[in-house]
Amino acid sequence: MRRSLLLLSAGLTMLSTGFASAENNTPRNLILFIPDGLRALKVTPETAPAMAEVRDKGVNFKNPHSLFPTFTMANGSAMSTGHYLGDTGVFSNTIWTSYTSAPAGDTVVPFIENDAVLGDIDEHFSGNYLNEDTILKLARDKGYSTAALGKHGPTYQFDHTDKPEKPGLHSIVFDDATGGKHGVALSDEVKDALTKAGLPAVPPPRGDNSKAGDAKTPGTNVANVAQQAYFADVAAKVVLPMFKTRNKPFVLVFWSRDPDGSQHNTGDSLNQIMPGINGPTSMAGIRNADNNLAQLRKALDELGLAASTNIIISADHGFSTISKESKTSPSAKVSYDDTPKDFLPMGFLALDLAKALDLPLFDPNDKNAKIEGNKHPKFGNGVLGKDPEKPDLIVATNGGSDLIYLPNKDKKLAAKTIKALLTQDYVSGLFVEESLGRFPGTLPLSSINLRGKAATPTPSIVVNFRSYASDCGEAPTNCSVQVADTVLRQGQGMHGSFSRGDTMNFMAAIGPDFKTGFVDELPVSNADVGMTAARLMGLRATQKGELVGRVMSEALPNGAVPKAYVGTVKSKPAEGGLITVLNFQRVGSQRYFDAAGFPGRTLGLEPETGKQKTAGK
Ligand SMILES: [Zn+2]
């Protein structure tokens, strides 16, 4: 409690000292541009000239942080509320909701990058699963014009609490669902403007960019060009001109699916680590996002809005190339008809735990069908126990980390599960909900701000997977490789781990309320993005949770420049010596998490030296 109060008061101090434009009363506009999955150090004047220009002429956030688990919906929840995941309850892209979600395909573990699923979860959790107000809702209430365009899921999450069938009250939303049954309805004003601009009212599909391939067929070799060109055209030719005419301040969120989609599905590297996500398809994805940003900035210039508009660019997370290798996993020794020999199958965590715990395994994405023989769960998720309707353990599969839920809070089962996890070479770091007890080799969920006022169930154990840097010839964070629980193949892309490759997202800002040519060495995070956006627009939320980000005052003219410190938290060694280590930085009482895991098994965590070396191996 004491720590939380400290956090809160630190936040308030920033609010009162760090804000220059509060005095000049000029209404500012804000564009929040999210290049999904863009690694900080992939941006150069050659690879992404528009982003490099914002970074080099505005603020270069040199010490950025995606929040762990480093997934899209999780970090979107932080950017849209300013809160950590312990408060927003969006612990990953696939979570256990404790009830069967029909729009998610009748499953207790919905994949939530979907407007219909988000609407369903909202209904279940008292109308607001985030349990905090979003900046778009607050801005809308304050009279701002608001819009969100781009990727299905995180875009709608920015303003999800109003009923889509009431256009006009809601933000203008364009995403993959627009024009369909579950899309946010467009107002007549927007429809007329689309017609005048010669744009259809339905976005084009991703086409070939959505092709993931399989074990024998490479995935895509094209970026998500056509679909994103549509969203960028709608923003530049319809939404921004409309907002200018209204002559009120606005906030516009643009969520670029690229480079994420192209890096995930890349067909450049089937079953091979190299070039992985550094091949031409990924680079085309980066350039595609960059072109969208360039188009938005050009529109601001042409509309005379550039001088009154702040732009914050923040990727939700970094990225890594997928490895499917393990020497210890029993599931990797079974042969499956869709998985190369000796590779980890999708759902390896659920399969290995079912074996180690001697519990029956059922598939929550296949009407709870029992999984036996050389089968694996369809989407990797699993419910374990004698009765699949009342499971003892649930695995929500995500990628570079997975979530485990123990609905009965069974401490003995927790101990057995942790013991089993510690024997697997693909595990690097375990985080355990504290009401289950303290377990050697693990750190508590609160140490990474995953325990707060969440409305959705808090996971019992968060399992981070192994990562390392390949010899890709670039900075180590650009060469991150990770074991991932996913249908995607070795050589394709994933994120979600505590690798510095996944936590090091691209962040930059430019505009009237930001310093120019400023290199910010202080740690910043996606929770800070939400808090800073709220501060720039003068929004005040009545917050329920206390796990809030920091206003990045050092990046604002005349803003306070706080001091930063580095630190490390270490668990007690488990039997066998494994220690979960967490490297963090600190500003006030605000912690920024760089990397975590077992030393030597996570990129960004040095193998321990001296006495701890033996303990860590
Ligand atoms: Zn992704």
Side-chain angles (χ1 to χ4, degrees):
M1 190 61 188
R2 192 168 161 266
R3 204 177 94 77
S4 308
L5 286 174
L6 278 173
L7 269 177
L8 194 64
S9 60
L12 290 173
T13 313
M14 295 302 168
L15 303 193
S16 57
T17 57
F19 191 53
S21 73
E23 290 145 30
N24 64 26
N25 283 327
T26 319
R28 310 292 202 195
N29 312 309
L30 174 68
I31 291 185
L32 179 54
F33 187 93
I34 297 104
D36 198 308
L38 179 61
R39 291 163 280 171
L41 300 180
K42 289 303 280 189
V43 173
T44 71
E46 290 73 40
T47 61
M51 295 212 231
E53 188 183 7
V54 170
R55 176 192 64 195
D56 298 339
K57 291 188 176 166
V59 178
N60 174 1
F61 294 107
K62 236 186 139 178
N63 190 354
H65 292 80
S66 167
L67 306 183
F68 175 81
T70 46
F71 286 100
T72 288
M73 293 303 288
N75 278 274
S77 78
M79 283 190 252
S80 59
T81 64
H83 286 253
Y84 283 80
L85 318 181
D87 282 345
T88 68
V90 184
F91 296 97
S92 204
N93 286 345
T94 296
I95 57 174
W96 177 63
T97 45
S98 77
Y99 76 97
T100 300
S101 171
D106 289 320
T107 184
V108 292
V109 279
F111 175 67
I112 62 172
E113 278 184 11
N114 182 297
D115 299 354
V117 173
L118 293 179
D120 182 63
I121 300 176
D122 259 344
E123 224 166 90
H124 192 83
F125 293 100
S126 313
N128 182 7
Y129 67 92
L130 287 178
N131 213 20
E132 303 287 351
D133 287 333
T134 67
I135 53 172
L136 248 65
K137 184 200 178 291
L138 293 167
R140 194 157 47 75
D141 289 349
K142 219 188 160 192
Y144 275 70
S145 293
T146 55
L149 301 96
K151 179 175 170 173
H152 200 195
T155 299
Y156 181 58
Q157 180 167 251
F158 265 94
D159 197 359
H160 62 100
T161 50
D162 287 305
K163 290 277 174 274
E165 58 269 19
K166 287 191 220 158
L169 294 176
H170 202 280
S171 298
I172 298 173
V173 177
F174 279 85
D175 63 15
D176 303 55
T178 301
K181 205 169 100 192
H182 299 294
V184 176
L186 302 174
S187 67
D188 290 340
E189 185 192 18
V190 172
K191 282 185 198 157
D192 290 348
L194 284 171
T195 308
K196 277 190 195 123
L199 289 165
V202 179
R206 293 172 66 191
D208 198 66
N209 179 256
S210 69
K211 285 186 186 156
D214 58 33
K216 297 195 175 94
T217 321
T220 191
N221 56 14
V222 295
N224 190 30
V225 176
Q227 192 193 47
Q228 293 189 201
Y230 173 81
F231 293 135
D233 279 345
V234 171
K237 298 174 184 172
V238 172
V239 179
L240 288 174
M242 183 181 292
F243 286 176
K244 181 182 163 80
T245 310
R246 287 185 193 169
N247 202 23
K248 289 196 304 185
F250 66 81
V251 52
L252 182 146
V253 177
F254 191 95
W255 198 295
S256 165
R257 187 184 281 276
D258 261 333
D260 180 270
S262 301
Q263 290 171 165
H264 274 305
N265 287 351
T266 179
D268 296 343
S269 199
L270 182 60
N271 294 323
Q272 307 289 327
I273 296 294
M274 305 276 258
I277 56 163
N278 290 314
T281 305
S282 300
M283 298 316 292
I286 292 173
R287 179 53 79 107
N288 188 35
D290 197 71
N291 288 340
N292 294 160
L293 174 69
Q295 187 178 346
L296 297 191
R297 290 200 74 197
K298 186 159 173 273
L300 289 178
D301 279 337
E302 288 169 359
L303 293 163
L305 293 168
S308 57
T309 304
N310 294 303
I311 301 175
I312 301 177
I313 306 174
S314 194
D316 47 352
H317 49 72
F319 235 84
S320 301
T321 298
I322 296 167
S323 163
K324 294 280 188 173
E325 293 171 28
S326 166
K327 292 193 173 70
T328 57
S329 169
S331 65
K333 297 185 173 77
V334 177
S335 72
Y336 310 85
D337 56 10
D338 63 352
T339 306
K341 193 175 173 300
D342 298 329
F343 274 11
L344 289 163
M346 164 166 231
F348 62 83
L349 188 70
L351 289 162
D352 288 350
L353 282 177
K355 189 176 163 83
L357 301 171
D358 196 22
L359 288 172
L361 169 62
F362 302 91
D363 191 342
N365 298 104
D366 190 16
K367 301 187 176 81
N368 283 341
K370 194 167 185 198
I371 309 238
E372 286 172 304
N374 54 357
K375 295 265 185 289
H376 64 74
K378 264 179 143 178
F379 299 145
N381 302 305
V383 293
L384 283 70
K386 287 198 182 69
D387 179 0
E389 300 292 333
K390 292 188 190 109
D392 298 320
L393 185 151
I394 298 113
V395 177
T397 293
N398 279 283
S401 59
D402 281 356
L403 307 177
I404 294 174
Y405 296 86
L406 304 174
N408 308 319
K409 310 281 176 210
D410 181 338
K411 293 179 183 178
K412 272 192 187 151
L413 182 61
K416 278 165 84 175
T417 304
I418 290 160
K419 196 174 173 200
L421 292 167
L422 288 166
T423 65
Q424 293 302 330
D425 62 3
Y426 52 74
V427 174
S428 179
L430 296 170
F431 299 89
V432 181
E433 208 275 313
E434 23 276 86
S435 70
L436 291 164
R438 294 298 291 264
F439 300 88
T442 77
L443 287 173
L445 282 189
S446 59
S447 66
I448 49 173
N449 288 355
L450 290 185
R451 199 165 185 255
K453 289 275 178 0
T456 65
T458 297
S460 304
I461 304 170
V462 181
V463 185
N464 181 50
F465 294 131
R466 183 171 73 93
S467 57
Y468 64 94
S470 73
D471 302 322
C472 87
E474 299 181 35
T477 53
N478 285 355
C479 306
S480 182
V481 178
Q482 71 187 208
V483 173
D485 200 355
T486 166
V487 70
L488 295 170
R489 305 291 156 178
Q490 175 150 310
Q492 293 186 303
M494 191 35 88
H495 48 89
S497 83
F498 234 136
S499 159
R500 189 65 180 122
D502 283 357
T503 63
M504 196 159 171
N505 57 323
F506 178 76
M507 287 177 73
I510 198 164
D513 292 323
F514 286 102
K515 288 179 180 170
T516 53
F518 178 66
V519 178
D520 190 350
E521 306 278 354
L522 293 179
V524 291
S525 79
N526 279 332
D528 297 356
V529 168
M531 284 302 277
T532 305
R535 182 51 29 205
L536 289 175
M537 294 187 281
L539 308 175
R540 263 173 206 284
T542 40
Q543 50 200 39
K544 299 202 174 85
E546 291 163 351
L547 299 173
V548 292
R550 172 179 76 87
V551 174
M552 303 181 286
S553 57
E554 70 278 9
L556 312 177
N558 309 315
V561 182
K563 269 188 96 123
Y565 304 86
V566 295
T568 301
V569 185
K570 292 178 187 184
S571 74
K572 288 194 177 131
E575 202 180 306
L578 288 171
I579 299 173
T580 294
V581 174
L582 168 66
N583 279 357
F584 68 89
Q585 300 174 65
R586 182 170 67 76
V587 173
S589 53
Q590 180 94 217
R591 282 182 172 186
Y592 296 86
F593 310 114
D594 295 332
F598 303 143
R601 282 197 212 168
T602 289
L603 194 169
L605 265 193
E606 296 304 315
E608 304 242 314
T609 50
K611 171 168 107 187
Q612 277 140 355
K613 186 163 187 172
T614 35
K617 291 280 159 175

